[in-house]
Amino acid sequence: MRPLIAEIRLDHLRHNYQAARAAHGDKTLAVLKANAYGHGAVRCAQALADIADGFAVACLEEALELRAAGIALPILLLEGVFDADELKAVDEQDLWMAVTSEQQLAMVEASAPAKPFHVWLMLDSGMHREGFLPQEYHAAWRRLEASGKAGKITKMTHFARADEPDVPMTFSQLEMFDAAVRGLPAGDESVANSAGILCHPRAQRNWGRVGIALYGVTPLPAGFEQDKVLRPVMRFSSKVFGVRELGIGEPIGYGDNFVTHRPTRVGLVACGYADGYPRRASSGSPVRIDGAPSQLIGRVSMDMLTVDLTDLPDAGVGSEVELWGDAVSVNEVAAHAGTIGYEPLCNVKRARFVYR
């Protein structure tokens, strides 16, 4: 078997959840969408079931997977339903759902649930992706209330730039949210995502929603003190399975986009873009080989990549390669590929998942 391992440290997951909940100061949903950002939704939910206030997923099929595995805690559908027929499962499975549009609101009004839904009514406070505009929000609330189909309504919005702490848009969104909900009946509110929880105390409301930080990956720029509390949950590693000795001026890999400038020992590693490692990761992307720092050289292939062993004379066939995890930040790997840490985590596959 290929020696590609995604080690999932469930104690780190629990630590990150507890740290996020403490920072937020009130109830917090653990976001498990996209198979828990590639970490395994069921296993992560089971590991958090005794400490979490609830979970959030993107869509119905993700929620049903958790319910089928025996997860009984509240589960919020962040995108709501896509079709009126899904409301039957929402009712039967006792799910919470976002209502973000006129179409979804009309579906709820036309439904006949056995018991009223718990609705999270989305306000578009400036991201302009989904939600009711401020001038529409009161009317949407009143329609839900009048329908008798919503037993509880949680007010919510989503930040566009909370991961840029010095950008004032987050404060503008908070002000817009507070103004838009003013005059409505008192009830739960939810505005803070991971970045909001970590560095925007004014975003502390009844419900936080911790996503990427749950997995030990900071959404903030490098250097923020808040990052130090997080512990990486996934350690993605493989091994060197071949070594080549090349002279000066030799190309490596597809496209000849890396040419040796010195005599070079090249290590061939069992991992490629079909496994989730970013294809666009450039030469110089960091790795650790038997704990020592090194780098990617040459283009990432479908099933393998190449690393520089020249300064590591004891490294060779069988050496462990940390692709990201404890010593190598997934955010740094992502930056070398022109993307963000979320993407490679969500893309991991063909690896052996080991839960500890």
Side-chain angles (χ1 to χ4, degrees), residues 107-189:
M107 290 179 199
V108 172
E109 289 176 315
S111 67
K115 56 188 178 300
F117 297 114
H118 184 160
V119 170
W120 288 48
L121 186 63
M122 173 66 80
L123 172 75
D124 178 0
S125 61
M127 191 170 183
H128 299 328
R129 188 176 64 177
E130 58 181 356
F132 293 89
L133 294 171
Q135 62 270 27
E136 303 169 336
Y137 198 75
H138 271 237
W141 176 286
R142 298 301 181 193
R143 284 173 58 185
L144 276 174
E145 189 177 50
S147 74
K149 310 298 173 60
K152 188 171 184 179
I153 307 173
T154 297
K155 311 172 188 78
M156 73 180 300
T157 195
H158 192 64
F159 293 140
R161 301 183 69 179
D163 56 344
E164 302 171 87
D166 297 328
V167 173
M169 183 176 182
T170 301
F171 303 106
S172 298
Q173 286 191 262
L174 277 169
E175 290 171 1
M176 186 174 292
F177 177 83
D178 289 337
V181 304
R182 193 171 295 126
L184 290 174
D188 285 354
E189 298 178 355

Coordinates of all heavy atoms in Angstrom, one line a residue, residues 107-189:
M107 N -41.1 28.4 0.6 CA -41.2 26.9 0.8 C -41.7 26.7 2.2 O -42.5 25.8 2.5 CB -39.9 26.3 0.6 CG -39.4 26.2 -0.8 SD -37.7 25.4 -0.9 CE -37.2 25.9 -2.5
V108 N -41.1 27.4 3.2 CA -41.5 27.2 4.6 C -43.0 27.6 4.8 O -43.7 26.8 5.4 CB -40.6 28.0 5.5 CG1 -41.1 28.0 6.9 CG2 -39.2 27.5 5.5
E109 N -43.4 28.7 4.2 CA -44.8 29.1 4.4 C -45.8 28.1 3.8 O -46.9 27.9 4.3 CB -45.0 30.4 3.6 CG -44.3 31.6 4.3 CD -44.4 32.9 3.5 OE1 -44.2 32.9 2.3 OE2 -44.8 34.0 4.1
A110 N -45.4 27.4 2.7 CA -46.3 26.4 2.1 C -46.2 25.0 2.7 O -46.9 24.1 2.3 CB -45.9 26.3 0.6
S111 N -45.3 24.8 3.7 CA -45.1 23.5 4.2 C -46.1 23.1 5.3 O -46.9 24.0 5.8 CB -43.7 23.4 4.8 OG -43.6 24.2 5.9
A112 N -46.1 21.9 5.7 CA -47.0 21.4 6.7 C -46.2 20.5 7.7 O -46.4 19.3 7.7 CB -48.2 20.6 6.1
P113 N -45.3 21.1 8.4 CA -44.4 20.2 9.3 C -45.2 19.7 10.5 O -46.2 20.3 10.9 CB -43.3 21.2 9.8 CG -44.0 22.5 9.7 CD -44.9 22.5 8.5
A114 N -44.8 18.6 11.0 CA -45.4 18.1 12.2 C -45.2 19.0 13.4 O -46.0 19.0 14.4 CB -44.9 16.7 12.5
K115 N -44.1 19.7 13.4 CA -43.8 20.6 14.5 C -43.1 21.8 13.8 O -42.5 21.7 12.8 CB -42.9 20.0 15.6 CG -41.6 19.4 15.0 CD -40.9 18.7 16.1 CE -39.6 18.0 15.5 NZ -39.9 17.0 14.5
P116 N -43.2 23.0 14.4 CA -42.6 24.2 13.8 C -41.0 24.0 13.6 O -40.4 23.4 14.5 CB -42.9 25.3 14.7 CG -44.1 24.8 15.5 CD -43.9 23.3 15.6
F117 N -40.5 24.6 12.6 CA -39.1 24.5 12.3 C -38.3 25.5 13.2 O -38.8 26.5 13.6 CB -38.8 24.9 10.8 CG -39.4 24.0 9.8 CD1 -40.4 24.4 9.0 CD2 -38.9 22.6 9.7 CE1 -40.9 23.6 8.0 CE2 -39.5 21.8 8.8 CZ -40.4 22.2 7.9
H118 N -37.0 25.1 13.4 CA -36.1 26.1 14.0 C -35.4 26.7 12.8 O -34.5 26.1 12.2 CB -35.1 25.4 15.0 CG -34.2 26.4 15.6 ND1 -33.5 26.1 16.8 CD2 -33.8 27.7 15.4 CE1 -32.8 27.1 17.2 NE2 -32.9 28.1 16.3
V119 N -35.6 28.0 12.6 CA -35.1 28.7 11.4 C -34.0 29.7 11.8 O -34.1 30.4 12.8 CB -36.2 29.5 10.7 CG1 -35.7 30.4 9.6 CG2 -37.2 28.5 10.1
W120 N -32.9 29.7 11.0 CA -31.9 30.7 11.2 C -32.1 31.7 10.0 O -31.8 31.3 8.8 CB -30.5 30.1 11.2 CG -30.2 29.3 12.4 CD1 -31.0 28.4 13.1 CD2 -29.0 29.4 13.2 NE1 -30.4 28.0 14.2 CE2 -29.2 28.5 14.3 CE3 -27.8 30.1 13.1 CZ2 -28.2 28.4 15.3 CZ3 -26.9 30.0 14.1 CH2 -27.0 29.1 15.2
L121 N -32.6 32.9 10.2 CA -32.9 33.8 9.2 C -31.7 34.7 8.8 O -31.2 35.4 9.7 CB -34.1 34.7 9.6 CG -34.6 35.6 8.5 CD1 -35.2 34.8 7.4 CD2 -35.7 36.5 9.1
M122 N -31.2 34.5 7.6 CA -30.0 35.2 7.2 C -30.2 36.6 6.7 O -31.0 36.9 5.9 CB -29.3 34.3 6.0 CG -28.1 35.0 5.4 SD -26.7 35.1 6.5 CE -26.0 33.4 6.4
L123 N -29.3 37.5 7.3 CA -29.3 38.9 6.8 C -28.1 39.1 5.9 O -27.0 38.7 6.3 CB -29.2 39.8 8.0 CG -28.9 41.3 7.7 CD1 -30.2 41.9 7.2 CD2 -28.4 42.0 8.9
D124 N -28.3 39.7 4.8 CA -27.1 40.1 4.0 C -26.7 41.5 4.5 O -27.2 42.5 4.2 CB -27.6 40.3 2.5 CG -26.5 40.7 1.6 OD1 -25.3 41.0 2.1 OD2 -26.7 40.9 0.4
S125 N -25.6 41.4 5.3 CA -25.1 42.7 5.9 C -23.9 43.3 5.1 O -23.2 44.2 5.6 CB -24.6 42.4 7.3 OG -23.6 41.4 7.3
G126 N -23.7 42.8 3.9 CA -22.7 43.4 3.0 C -21.9 42.4 2.2 O -21.1 42.8 1.3
M127 N -22.0 41.1 2.5 CA -21.2 40.1 1.7 C -21.9 39.9 0.3 O -21.2 39.6 -0.7 CB -21.1 38.8 2.4 CG -20.2 37.8 1.8 SD -19.9 36.4 2.8 CE -18.6 35.5 1.9
H128 N -23.2 40.1 0.2 CA -24.0 40.0 -1.0 C -23.8 38.7 -1.7 O -23.7 38.6 -2.9 CB -23.5 41.1 -2.0 CG -23.8 42.5 -1.4 ND1 -24.8 42.8 -0.6 CD2 -23.1 43.7 -1.6 CE1 -24.8 44.1 -0.3 NE2 -23.7 44.6 -0.8
R129 N -23.9 37.6 -0.9 CA -23.9 36.3 -1.4 C -25.2 35.6 -1.2 O -25.8 35.0 -2.1 CB -22.8 35.5 -0.7 CG -22.5 34.1 -1.3 CD -21.4 33.4 -0.6 NE -21.6 33.1 0.8 CZ -20.8 32.4 1.6 NH1 -19.6 32.0 1.1 NH2 -21.1 32.2 2.8
E130 N -25.8 35.8 0.0 CA -27.1 35.2 0.3 C -27.7 36.0 1.4 O -27.0 36.7 2.1 CB -27.0 33.7 0.6 CG -26.2 33.4 1.8 CD -26.1 31.9 2.1 OE1 -26.8 31.2 1.4 OE2 -25.3 31.6 3.0
G131 N -29.0 35.9 1.7 CA -29.6 36.6 2.8 C -30.5 37.7 2.3 O -30.5 38.2 1.2
F132 N -31.4 38.1 3.3 CA -32.3 39.2 3.0 C -31.6 40.6 3.2 O -30.8 40.7 4.2 CB -33.5 39.1 3.9 CG -34.4 37.9 3.6 CD1 -34.1 36.7 4.2 CD2 -35.4 38.0 2.6 CE1 -34.9 35.6 3.9 CE2 -36.2 36.9 2.3 CZ -35.9 35.7 2.9
L133 N -31.8 41.5 2.4 CA -31.3 42.9 2.6 C -31.9 43.5 3.8 O -33.0 43.1 4.3 CB -31.5 43.7 1.3 CG -30.9 43.3 0.0 CD1 -31.4 44.0 -1.1 CD2 -29.3 43.4 0.2
P134 N -31.1 44.5 4.4 CA -31.6 45.1 5.7 C -33.1 45.6 5.6 O -33.9 45.4 6.5 CB -30.6 46.2 5.9 CG -29.4 45.7 5.3 CD -29.8 44.9 4.1
Q135 N -33.4 46.2 4.4 CA -34.8 46.7 4.3 C -35.8 45.7 4.1 O -37.0 45.9 4.2 CB -34.8 47.7 3.1 CG -34.5 47.2 1.8 CD -33.0 47.2 1.4 OE1 -32.2 47.2 2.3 NE2 -32.8 47.3 0.1
E136 N -35.4 44.4 3.9 CA -36.3 43.3 3.7 C -36.5 42.4 4.9 O -37.4 41.6 5.0 CB -35.8 42.4 2.5 CG -35.7 43.1 1.2 CD -34.9 42.2 0.2 OE1 -34.2 41.3 0.6 OE2 -35.1 42.4 -1.0
Y137 N -35.5 42.6 5.9 CA -35.4 41.6 6.9 C -36.6 41.6 7.9 O -37.1 40.5 8.2 CB -34.1 41.9 7.7 CG -33.6 40.8 8.6 CD1 -33.0 39.7 8.0 CD2 -33.8 40.7 9.9 CE1 -32.5 38.6 8.7 CE2 -33.3 39.7 10.7 CZ -32.7 38.6 10.1 OH -32.3 37.5 10.8
H138 N -37.1 42.7 8.3 CA -38.2 42.8 9.2 C -39.4 42.1 8.6 O -40.1 41.3 9.2 CB -38.6 44.2 9.6 CG -37.9 44.7 10.8 ND1 -38.5 45.2 11.9 CD2 -36.5 44.8 11.0 CE1 -37.6 45.6 12.8 NE2 -36.4 45.3 12.3
A139 N -39.7 42.3 7.3 CA -40.8 41.7 6.6 C -40.7 40.2 6.6 O -41.6 39.4 6.7 CB -41.0 42.3 5.2
A140 N -39.4 39.7 6.3 CA -39.2 38.3 6.2 C -39.4 37.6 7.6 O -40.1 36.6 7.7 CB -37.8 38.0 5.8
W141 N -39.0 38.3 8.6 CA -39.2 37.8 10.0 C -40.7 37.7 10.3 O -41.2 36.7 10.8 CB -38.5 38.8 11.0 CG -38.8 38.4 12.4 CD1 -39.9 38.6 13.1 CD2 -37.9 37.7 13.3 NE1 -39.8 38.1 14.4 CE2 -38.5 37.6 14.6 CE3 -36.5 37.3 13.2 CZ2 -37.9 37.0 15.7 CZ3 -35.9 36.7 14.3 CH2 -36.6 36.5 15.5
R142 N -41.4 38.8 10.0 CA -42.8 38.8 10.3 C -43.6 37.7 9.5 O -44.5 37.1 10.0 CB -43.4 40.2 10.0 CG -42.8 41.3 10.8 CD -43.0 41.1 12.3 NE -42.5 42.3 13.0 CZ -42.3 42.2 14.3 NH1 -42.6 41.1 15.0 NH2 -41.8 43.3 15.0
R143 N -43.2 37.5 8.3 CA -43.8 36.4 7.5 C -43.6 35.0 8.1 O -44.5 34.2 8.2 CB -43.3 36.4 6.1 CG -43.9 37.6 5.2 CD -43.2 37.6 3.9 NE -43.4 36.4 3.1 CZ -42.8 36.2 1.9 NH1 -42.0 37.1 1.4 NH2 -42.9 35.0 1.3
L144 N -42.4 34.8 8.6 CA -42.1 33.5 9.3 C -42.9 33.4 10.5 O -43.5 32.4 10.8 CB -40.6 33.4 9.6 CG -39.6 33.0 8.6 CD1 -38.2 33.1 9.1 CD2 -39.9 31.5 8.2
E145 N -43.0 34.5 11.3 CA -43.7 34.5 12.5 C -45.2 34.3 12.3 O -45.9 33.4 12.9 CB -43.5 35.8 13.2 CG -44.1 35.9 14.6 CD -43.7 37.2 15.3 OE1 -44.0 38.3 14.6 OE2 -43.2 37.2 16.4
A146 N -45.7 34.9 11.3 CA -47.2 34.8 11.0 C -47.5 33.4 10.4 O -48.7 33.0 10.5 CB -47.6 35.9 10.0
S147 N -46.6 32.8 9.7 CA -46.8 31.5 9.1 C -47.1 30.4 10.1 O -47.8 29.4 9.8 CB -45.6 31.0 8.3 OG -44.6 30.6 9.1
G148 N -46.6 30.5 11.3 CA -46.8 29.5 12.3 C -45.9 28.3 12.1 O -45.9 27.3 12.8
K149 N -45.0 28.4 11.0 CA -44.2 27.2 10.7 C -42.8 27.3 11.3 O -42.0 26.4 11.2 CB -44.0 27.2 9.1 CG -45.3 27.2 8.4 CD -46.2 26.1 8.7 CE -47.6 26.2 8.0 NZ -47.6 26.3 6.6
A150 N -42.5 28.4 12.0 CA -41.2 28.6 12.6 C -41.4 28.8 14.1 O -41.9 29.8 14.6 CB -40.5 29.9 12.0
G151 N -41.0 27.8 14.9 CA -41.2 27.9 16.3 C -40.1 28.7 17.0 O -40.4 29.4 18.0
K152 N -38.9 28.8 16.4 CA -37.8 29.6 16.9 C -37.1 30.2 15.7 O -36.9 29.6 14.7 CB -36.9 28.8 17.8 CG -35.9 29.7 18.5 CD -35.1 28.8 19.5 CE -34.1 29.7 20.3 NZ -33.4 28.9 21.3
I153 N -36.7 31.5 15.8 CA -36.0 32.2 14.7 C -34.7 32.8 15.3 O -34.8 33.6 16.2 CB -36.8 33.3 14.1 CG1 -38.2 32.8 13.6 CG2 -36.1 33.9 12.9 CD1 -39.2 33.9 13.1
T154 N -33.6 32.3 14.8 CA -32.3 32.8 15.1 C -31.8 33.8 14.1 O -31.9 33.5 12.9 CB -31.3 31.7 15.3 OG1 -31.7 30.8 16.4 CG2 -29.9 32.3 15.6
K155 N -31.4 35.0 14.5 CA -30.9 36.0 13.5 C -29.5 35.7 13.2 O -28.7 35.5 14.1 CB -31.1 37.4 14.1 CG -32.5 37.7 14.7 CD -32.5 39.0 15.5 CE -33.8 39.2 16.2 NZ -33.8 38.5 17.5
M156 N -29.1 35.7 11.9 CA -27.7 35.4 11.6 C -27.3 36.3 10.4 O -28.0 36.8 9.6 CB -27.5 34.0 11.3 CG -28.1 33.5 9.9 SD -27.9 31.7 9.6 CE -26.1 31.6 9.6
T157 N -25.9 36.4 10.4 CA -25.3 37.0 9.2 C -23.9 36.4 9.0 O -23.5 35.5 9.9 CB -25.2 38.5 9.3 OG1 -24.9 39.1 8.0 CG2 -24.1 39.0 10.3
H158 N -23.2 36.7 8.0 CA -21.9 36.1 7.7 C -20.9 37.2 7.3 O -21.2 38.1 6.5 CB -22.0 35.0 6.7 CG -20.7 34.2 6.5 ND1 -20.3 33.4 7.6 CD2 -19.8 34.0 5.5 CE1 -19.2 32.7 7.2 NE2 -18.9 33.1 6.0
F159 N -19.7 37.2 7.9 CA -18.7 38.2 7.6 C -17.9 37.9 6.3 O -17.6 36.7 6.0 CB -17.6 38.2 8.7 CG -18.2 38.7 10.0 CD1 -17.8 38.2 11.2 CD2 -19.1 39.8 10.1 CE1 -18.3 38.6 12.4 CE2 -19.5 40.3 11.3 CZ -19.1 39.7 12.5
A160 N -17.6 38.9 5.6 CA -16.9 38.8 4.3 C -15.3 38.9 4.5 O -14.6 38.3 3.8 CB -17.3 39.8 3.3
R161 N -14.9 39.7 5.5 CA -13.5 40.0 5.6 C -13.0 39.9 7.1 O -12.1 40.7 7.5 CB -13.2 41.3 5.0 CG -13.5 41.4 3.5 CD -13.1 42.7 2.9 NE -11.7 42.9 2.8 CZ -11.1 43.9 2.2 NH1 -11.9 44.9 1.7 NH2 -9.8 44.0 2.1
A162 N -13.6 39.1 7.9 CA -13.2 39.0 9.3 C -11.8 38.5 9.4 O -11.1 38.7 10.5 CB -14.2 38.1 10.1
D163 N -11.3 37.8 8.4 CA -9.9 37.3 8.4 C -8.9 38.3 8.1 O -7.7 38.1 8.0 CB -9.8 36.1 7.5 CG -10.2 36.4 6.1 OD1 -10.8 37.5 5.8 OD2 -9.8 35.6 5.2
E164 N -9.3 39.6 7.9 CA -8.4 40.7 7.7 C -8.8 41.7 8.9 O -9.6 42.6 8.7 CB -8.7 41.4 6.4 CG -8.5 40.4 5.2 CD -8.9 41.0 3.9 OE1 -8.1 41.7 3.2 OE2 -10.1 40.8 3.5
P165 N -8.1 41.5 10.0 CA -8.6 42.2 11.2 C -8.5 43.7 11.1 O -9.3 44.4 11.8 CB -7.6 41.7 12.3 CG -7.1 40.4 11.8 CD -7.1 40.5 10.3
D166 N -7.7 44.3 10.3 CA -7.5 45.7 10.2 C -8.5 46.4 9.2 O -8.5 47.6 9.1 CB -6.1 46.1 9.8 CG -5.1 45.7 10.9 OD1 -5.5 45.7 12.1 OD2 -3.9 45.3 10.5
V167 N -9.2 45.5 8.5 CA -10.2 46.1 7.5 C -11.5 46.4 8.2 O -12.1 45.6 8.9 CB -10.4 45.0 6.4 CG1 -11.5 45.5 5.4 CG2 -9.1 44.8 5.6
P168 N -12.0 47.6 8.0 CA -13.2 48.0 8.8 C -14.5 47.4 8.4 O -15.5 47.6 9.0 CB -13.2 49.5 8.6 CG -12.5 49.8 7.3 CD -11.5 48.7 7.2
M169 N -14.5 46.6 7.3 CA -15.8 46.1 6.8 C -16.5 45.2 7.9 O -17.8 45.3 8.0 CB -15.6 45.2 5.6 CG -16.9 44.7 5.0 SD -16.7 43.8 3.4 CE -18.4 43.5 3.0
T170 N -15.8 44.5 8.7 CA -16.4 43.7 9.7 C -17.2 44.5 10.7 O -18.4 44.2 11.1 CB -15.4 42.8 10.5 OG1 -14.7 42.0 9.5 CG2 -16.1 41.9 11.5
F171 N -16.7 45.7 11.1 CA -17.4 46.6 12.0 C -18.6 47.2 11.3 O -19.7 47.3 11.9 CB -16.4 47.7 12.5 CG -15.2 47.1 13.2 CD1 -14.0 47.1 12.5 CD2 -15.3 46.5 14.4 CE1 -12.8 46.6 13.1 CE2 -14.1 46.0 15.0 CZ -12.9 46.0 14.4
S172 N -18.5 47.5 10.0 CA -19.6 48.0 9.3 C -20.7 46.9 9.2 O -21.9 47.2 9.3 CB -19.2 48.4 7.9 OG -18.2 49.4 7.9
Q173 N -20.3 45.7 9.0 CA -21.3 44.6 9.0 C -22.0 44.4 10.3 O -23.2 44.2 10.4 CB -20.7 43.3 8.5 CG -20.4 43.2 7.0 CD -20.0 41.8 6.6 OE1 -18.8 41.5 6.5 NE2 -21.0 41.0 6.3
L174 N -21.3 44.5 11.4 CA -21.9 44.4 12.7 C -22.9 45.5 13.0 O -24.0 45.3 13.5 CB -20.8 44.4 13.8 CG -20.1 43.1 14.1 CD1 -18.9 43.3 15.0 CD2 -21.0 42.1 14.8
E175 N -22.5 46.7 12.6 CA -23.4 47.9 12.7 C -24.7 47.7 11.9 O -25.8 48.0 12.4 CB -22.7 49.2 12.4 CG -21.6 49.5 13.4 CD -20.7 50.7 12.9 OE1 -21.0 51.2 11.8 OE2 -19.8 51.1 13.6
M176 N -24.5 47.2 10.7 CA -25.7 47.0 9.8 C -26.6 45.9 10.4 O -27.8 46.0 10.4 CB -25.2 46.6 8.4 CG -26.3 46.5 7.4 SD -25.8 46.3 5.7 CE -25.0 47.8 5.4
F177 N -26.0 44.8 10.9 CA -26.7 43.7 11.5 C -27.5 44.3 12.7 O -28.8 44.0 12.8 CB -25.8 42.6 12.0 CG -26.5 41.5 12.7 CD1 -27.1 40.5 12.0 CD2 -26.6 41.4 14.1 CE1 -27.8 39.4 12.6 CE2 -27.2 40.4 14.7 CZ -27.8 39.4 14.0
D178 N -26.9 45.0 13.6 CA -27.6 45.5 14.8 C -28.7 46.4 14.4 O -29.8 46.4 15.0 CB -26.6 46.2 15.7 CG -25.6 45.2 16.4 OD1 -26.0 44.0 16.5 OD2 -24.5 45.6 16.8
A179 N -28.5 47.2 13.4 CA -29.5 48.2 13.0 C -30.7 47.4 12.3 O -31.9 47.7 12.6 CB -29.0 49.2 12.0
A180 N -30.4 46.4 11.6 CA -31.4 45.6 10.8 C -32.3 44.8 11.8 O -33.5 44.6 11.5 CB -30.8 44.7 9.8
V181 N -31.8 44.3 12.9 CA -32.6 43.5 13.8 C -33.2 44.3 14.9 O -34.1 43.7 15.6 CB -31.7 42.3 14.4 CG1 -31.1 41.5 13.3 CG2 -30.7 42.9 15.3
R182 N -32.9 45.6 15.0 CA -33.5 46.4 16.0 C -35.0 46.5 15.9 O -35.5 46.7 14.8 CB -32.8 47.8 16.0 CG -33.1 48.7 17.2 CD -32.3 49.9 17.2 NE -30.9 49.6 17.3 CZ -30.0 50.0 16.4 NH1 -30.3 50.8 15.3 NH2 -28.7 49.7 16.6
G183 N -35.7 46.3 17.0 CA -37.1 46.3 16.9 C -37.8 44.9 16.8 O -39.0 44.8 17.0
L184 N -37.0 43.9 16.5 CA -37.6 42.6 16.4 C -37.6 41.9 17.8 O -36.8 42.4 18.7 CB -36.7 41.7 15.4 CG -36.8 42.1 13.9 CD1 -35.8 41.2 13.1 CD2 -38.2 41.8 13.4
P185 N -38.4 40.9 18.0 CA -38.4 40.2 19.3 C -37.0 39.7 19.7 O -36.2 39.3 18.8 CB -39.4 39.1 19.0 CG -40.3 39.5 17.9 CD -39.4 40.3 17.0
A186 N -36.8 39.8 20.9 CA -35.5 39.2 21.4 C -35.4 37.8 21.1 O -36.4 37.0 21.0 CB -35.4 39.4 23.0
G187 N -34.2 37.3 20.9 CA -33.9 35.9 20.5 C -32.4 35.8 20.2 O -31.6 36.7 20.2
D188 N -32.1 34.5 19.9 CA -30.7 34.2 19.6 C -30.2 34.9 18.4 O -30.9 35.1 17.4 CB -30.5 32.7 19.5 CG -30.6 32.0 20.8 OD1 -30.6 32.6 21.9 OD2 -30.6 30.7 20.8
E189 N -28.8 35.2 18.4 CA -28.2 35.8 17.3 C -26.9 35.0 17.0 O -26.3 34.4 17.9 CB -27.8 37.3 17.6 CG -29.0 38.1 17.8 CD -28.7 39.6 18.1 OE1 -27.5 39.9 18.2 OE2 -29.6 40.4 18.2

